[in-house]
Amino acid sequence: MPLDTISTYAQTLLRQDGRRWNELRRITASISTQPSSDGSSLLTMGNTMVLCTVTGPREGNRRGQRDNTNATVETEINVASFAQMDRRRRVRNDKRIQELQSTVSSAFQSHLFTHLYPRSTISISLHVLSLDGALLVACLNAASLALVDAGIPMPSILAAISSGSVTPTDDSSTRPEPILDLNNVEEQELPFLSIATVSGHPGSEDKVSVLTMESRCQIGGANSKLESMMATGVDGCKQVRRKMEDVIRKHGAKVLQGRK
Amino acid sequence: MPSLASSSPFSPAELAYLHTSLSSVPPLRPDARSLGTDFRPLRAETGVLPAVNGSAHVGFSDGREAIVGVKLEVEKTVERKNTGLKYHVDSAMDIDMDEDERRKQAMGKQEWVTLTLTVPGLRDDDPNLAFLEEMLREPLAVPLSTAPQSDNSYTMSLQDSLVINSRWHWHVYVDVLLISPNGLASYPLPLLSMAAHLALRDTRIPKLKSEGEEDPVADDDWMASTYLYPRKVVTTSPRPPVILLVLVVGENVIFDPSREELAVADGIVAVSIASSTDDDKDCKVLAVRMVDSPARDTMKGIPQSEEPQKGVDVPGVWRPRVGGVKRSVLKAVIKSVVVDGVARDVMSGLDGFLNLEDGADAGANAV
């Protein structure tokens, strides 16, 4: 049996790990995991595991770059060398990691109510303990939960998911099929994008806040892949947000129980 | 080892108070621990990560945490130049190799054990980081004597157990991630070494389908794998070393120091211990290192009444520590580690934890 999604998906409509096109991997999360930090979370999506700690808002240590009207969001991503199957030591100024850091920073810089904390810094520190695809997605979700735990006001929870597209190779006229929440193997063979949304006012639609795509795919024409991928992604974000809200509610109930 | 704290957050008055109470007999510790040998509680779990051979997560009560992942990789053994002569008779060696040669062949090299430490917010080439890494790695890869024991079993050091055959070996990568609110300033040596200890004891070597001098092929069945260190322990079975941080204040020897206690230390000693190979002793000391005390870099206190004369010690007024530690005090440190059984208590505590984990696993399987 061939071990790639492209050749088997059309026959079975099941992916390599047995999921259907719109099924998420198991998402578990917990918040307030690190008592010594202001906010923390541990998020797992399938075999991807990210630990996030948030420090702040606090006085920034670099006085020159202080913003007099808003808080500044800083992000540090650290992919542990044991995170993947083959051990790989990552250097700190890896270009890809730097780009991910600035993506996470800018996503939360515009999402949080930073005007409430002028002249201060919010530092997000992300530790990727295990990596099986969806690096940016897991980082965004973990940071979102940790920021909630840190008590930093935000209009809604930022939720992220990745979506990809399968095109059967033998027949180019067939419609490409979108799939949700890719693992590492699927990320390597299929075009995919990472999308994050924030929910709008009640009744209105969700807004996309992060959208990155690092692979090539056809955008225009009759068989445009992009639109279906984005539609699937936005739906996936809704599911993820529901799960994250559950986690926060459960934690809140537990805290209240402890107060009695 | 250089001092890890950049500046002490305590005033001279606080330091004087702490120093006076710690040097009284018995020591009055700021967190109300009654004895110098009392340890603070810690949380630990093993097998926390997927995609590694062994992992552990240890958290101290002051919020410091360490996550360790151990990975094994198969590597080709590079023949040394000076064994060139032996190389020619390699094919014949399998058959008529005497016990002595077999022993020599089973010797591992120190380079097969790699330990890296990651601390967020610190540069990769920070000298303190490199020093800590080497300090943690060194006792792991210490070559033990290979003299035969009375019951004809050989004690193997870590790198010796990594030999697969004459051409292949395992390479152990121990990657330590420290999550700490104040970086290296909290002297995380015992935390890191305990986390590495538990992760190594959780490490499994995949069973090999290949035999003898064949190229290694691993069995897919993870349940068939064996532990790197034997899980059912007797007193003399090999265990990874543990580093204890010992504090000296006056005549008192204090274990597991907190941040306040470290700030007034007359001397800090890092003692690495390993389980002994002798039956009559429990533990042995592998290395003793002095660590620079942060009390050297503090400001001195000024007495209220009169201008102090040079070199005169006014009681209750803080004076930064200078000089080293007396030989007799160092002796007292080693005595309390080895003879008074702190080392044994730590080792048996770690054994007990792993037994509990095993029991929990067995219970889960039974249900």
Side-chain angles (χ1 to χ4, degrees):
Chain A
M1 187 185 147
L3 282 170
D4 60 324
T5 316
I6 295 177
S7 50
T8 55
Y9 184 76
Q11 294 153 18
T12 59
L13 294 181
L14 287 174
R15 288 145 72 178
Q16 288 303 317
D17 49 9
R19 285 183 288 159
R20 285 178 217 286
W21 66 278
N22 62 347
E23 273 179 316
L24 297 173
R25 289 178 286 174
R26 177 198 292 269
I27 297 180
T28 56
S30 44
I31 60 177
S32 282
T33 48
Q34 261 63 35
S36 60
S37 60
D38 292 322
S40 55
S41 67
L42 177 69
L43 178 103
T44 60
M45 299 178 73
N47 274 332
T48 302
M49 187 189 282
V50 178
L51 177 75
C52 179
T53 58
V54 168
T55 320
R58 59 159 178 197
E59 188 180 356
N61 38 13
R62 280 177 296 171
R63 280 158 191 275
Q65 293 180 359
R66 202 145 64 179
D67 188 341
N68 277 332
T69 49
N70 287 312
T72 322
V73 181
E74 292 176 344
T75 309
E76 190 188 339
I77 297 179
N78 164 36
V79 181
S81 26
F82 49 74
Q84 275 162 308
M85 263 308 156
D86 298 313
R87 181 182 179 275
R88 199 163 79 193
R89 184 122 166 94
R90 290 188 189 244
V91 285
R92 191 138 301 185
N93 47 12
D94 185 335
K95 281 283 183 304
R96 182 150 180 262
I97 298 292
Q98 282 188 334
E99 190 169 330
L100 288 177
Q101 287 176 350
S102 75
T103 309
V104 175
S105 293
S106 60
F108 286 106
Q109 182 80 57
S110 52
H111 178 54
L112 301 172
F113 288 143
T114 50
H115 64 275
L116 296 175
Y117 307 101
R119 301 159 65 81
S120 47
T121 306
I122 299 164
S123 333
I124 303 169
S125 172
L126 289 152
H127 308 279
V128 181
L129 303 179
S130 168
L131 182 56
D132 183 23
L135 175 58
L136 175 63
V137 165
C139 284
L140 282 167
N141 289 338
S144 208
L145 285 172
L147 286 164
V148 169
D149 184 37
I152 296 164
M154 59 178 98
S156 72
I157 294 169
L158 186 142
I161 201 67
S162 60
S163 64
S165 177
V166 187
T167 319
T169 38
D170 47 346
D171 187 4
S172 58
S173 61
T174 49
R175 279 165 49 96
E177 307 244 8
I179 58 170
L180 193 66
D181 193 15
L182 288 79
N183 62 22
N184 194 29
V185 181
E186 289 169 332
E187 274 187 3
Q188 263 155 27
E189 58 167 319
L190 302 173
F192 73 100
L193 53 80
S194 304
I195 186 168
T197 65
V198 295
S199 62
H201 300 292
S204 66
E205 285 185 324
D206 291 354
K207 291 182 196 139
V208 174
S209 71
V210 178
L211 179 60
T212 57
M213 184 153 179
E214 290 168 305
S215 39
R216 291 144 74 86
C217 90
Q218 182 189 350
I219 288 182
N223 292 330
S224 170
K225 296 174 179 175
L226 195 66
E227 203 168 321
S228 61
M229 275 157 77
M230 285 184 57
T232 317
V234 170
D235 280 350
C237 284
K238 275 207 186 95
Q239 294 183 49
V240 175
R241 181 173 302 111
R242 240 191 333 268
K243 294 201 171 175
M244 285 162 72
E245 280 169 350
D246 264 3
V247 169
I248 294 164
R249 288 217 177 84
K250 285 213 177 92
H251 180 77
K254 217 166 80 187
V255 170
L256 281 180
Q257 207 108 66
R259 285 271 166 82
K260 270 177 197 167
Chain B
M1 179 170 163
S3 172
L4 297 173
S6 49
S7 65
S8 169
F10 301 104
S11 69
E14 283 173 301
L15 292 170
Y17 170 74
L18 285 167
H19 190 266
T20 315
S21 49
L22 278 178
S23 48
S24 64
V25 182
L28 293 168
R29 306 183 70 172
D31 48 7
R33 275 179 279 173
S34 53
L35 288 173
T37 51
D38 278 355
F39 281 68
R40 289 169 290 180
L42 60 88
R43 283 175 299 121
E45 49 187 334
T46 56
V48 285
L49 301 172
V52 291
N53 291 73
S55 60
H57 171 206
V58 176
F60 275 18
S61 49
D62 56 354
R64 291 178 286 157
E65 285 182 52
I67 298 171
V68 182
V70 179
K71 265 187 187 289
L72 296 176
E73 277 176 16
V74 171
E75 221 174 47
K76 204 155 192 166
T77 310
V78 183
E79 282 280 337
R80 283 212 186 98
K81 271 277 183 289
N82 56 13
T83 57
L85 198 117
K86 220 168 91 185
Y87 198 73
H88 287 295
V89 293
D90 200 18
S91 51
M93 236 168 62
D94 294 347
I95 309 142
D96 54 15
M97 194 169 47
D98 60 41
E99 189 63 18
D100 227 27
E101 254 177 309
R102 199 183 290 273
R103 199 102 299 281
K104 216 178 273 171
Q105 189 196 23
M107 292 271 270
K109 292 186 197 135
Q110 292 210 12
E111 305 91 83
W112 298 351
V113 182
T114 306
L115 190 142
T116 62
L117 174 61
T118 314
V119 182
L122 223 62
R123 286 167 57 105
D124 284 344
D125 53 354
D126 192 285
N128 283 331
L129 207 61
F131 203 95
L132 269 179
E133 274 176 9
E134 188 52 26
M135 210 158 153
L136 287 165
R137 192 198 69 87
E138 202 180 44
L140 272 180
V142 72
L144 294 174
S145 67
T146 48
Q149 298 291 301
S150 51
D151 55 344
N152 218 10
S153 69
Y154 291 93
T155 51
M156 303 240 281
S157 63
L158 173 59
Q159 64 264 37
D160 293 347
S161 56
L162 299 175
V163 177
I164 298 172
N165 52 40
S166 68
R167 291 179 302 125
W168 297 93
H169 66 262
W170 296 103
H171 192 130
V172 182
Y173 293 95
V174 184
D175 294 297
V176 187
L177 172 67
L178 173 70
I179 301 168
S180 159
N182 39 13
L184 291 181
S186 49
Y187 289 78
L189 207 53
L191 167 69
L192 299 176
S193 84
M194 271 188 205
H197 174 105
L198 289 176
L200 277 167
R201 291 182 73 175
D202 182 52
T203 301
R204 291 164 174 236
I205 307 181
K207 188 180 158 64
L208 292 176
K209 278 196 279 195
S210 57
E211 288 169 354
E213 293 297 306
E214 289 169 11
D215 286 357
V217 178
D219 196 335
D220 286 343
D221 189 2
W222 182 242
M223 296 318 286
S225 60
T226 52
Y227 283 106
L228 183 58
Y229 285 92
R231 199 62 180 243
K232 291 274 167 281
V233 288
V234 292
T235 38
T236 56
S237 56
R239 274 165 275 191
V242 174
I243 302 179
L244 300 176
L245 205 60
V246 191
L247 196 78
V248 180
V249 179
E251 298 294 304
N252 285 332
V253 175
I254 292 167
F255 285 86
D256 189 23
S258 65
R259 192 151 166 258
E260 297 85 14
E261 290 166 335
L262 279 166
V264 295
D266 288 346
I268 305 174
V269 189
V271 186
S272 41
I273 51 167
S275 49
S276 170
T277 47
D278 295 345
D279 284 328
D280 51 335
K281 278 187 282 180
D282 301 312
C283 291
K284 66 174 181 186
V285 173
L286 288 180
V288 179
R289 267 217 181 79
M290 299 295 301
V291 180
D292 242 9
S293 163
R296 291 168 193 278
D297 310 330
T298 47
M299 296 282 288
K300 71 170 196 290
I302 312 265
Q304 201 180 15
S305 52
E306 79 274 22
E307 195 62 26
Q309 290 156 325
K310 245 197 168 132
V312 175
D313 211 0
V314 185
V317 177
W318 175 246
R319 190 171 53 87
R321 300 296 119 183
V322 286
V325 171
K326 287 198 189 90
R327 189 179 281 243
S328 62
V329 177
L330 210 57
K331 207 170 156 189
V333 170
I334 302 299
K335 180 172 167 287
S336 57
V337 171
V338 183
V339 182
D340 299 351
V342 174
R344 186 188 57 218
D345 289 351
V346 169
M347 280 292 182
S348 64
L350 290 165
D351 286 351
F353 163 72
L354 285 166
N355 283 342
L356 271 180
E357 288 247 307
D358 277 352
D361 280 355
N365 287 340
V367 171

